[in-house]
Amino acid sequence: MNKQKAKKAGLKRRERRVRAKIFGTAERPRLSVHRTNAHIYAQVIDDVDSKTICTASTLDPEFRATGKIGSNKEAAELVGELIGKRALEKGVTEVMFDRGGRIYHGRVKALADGARNAGLKF
């Protein structure tokens, strides 16, 4: 197995391990984070009904209007604030944080801090 496949397999394994412990309900949905080299994405998901309640990413027109780029901590914090604001508009106040197999550090942590600043509890 080459190095790239091994890294991807490790990420998938960690992702499955995290998802085995976290399950979003209507009262407390899951805040899922997906990070790439260029962008960061966040979704609030109700796993019972298999529905996405709201989303935010660095590709949103609201984010693009700020003029920031999507590959740094400031952008991740802004996406966290966007997802927090949208979740509160939908009536969600508490979530379970799903880091998606990534380390809780850097852009993932910045997104979580932004969501907390917007008023989400987790």
Side-chain angles (χ1 to χ4, degrees), residues 28-97:
R28 193 165 179 205
R30 174 168 58 102
L31 173 58
S32 178
V33 176
H34 178 70
R35 179 180 69 80
T36 65
N37 286 339
H39 298 286
I40 192 157
Y41 309 85
Q43 297 180 23
V44 176
I45 304 166
D46 177 5
D47 290 318
V48 174
D49 293 334
S50 299
K51 290 188 178 177
T52 301
I53 298 168
C54 60
T55 65
S57 74
T58 52
L59 297 173
D60 286 349
E62 212 173 316
F63 176 82
R64 293 280 174 132
T66 63
K68 295 183 187 273
I69 58 169
S71 60
N72 56 26
K73 286 195 271 187
E74 293 82 20
E77 190 168 354
L78 187 61
V79 170
E81 290 172 6
L82 280 174
I83 194 74
K85 183 178 73 171
R86 291 176 184 174
L88 290 173
E89 287 172 0
K90 299 279 185 160
V92 175
T93 56
E94 285 192 37
V95 294
M96 299 181 84
F97 191 71

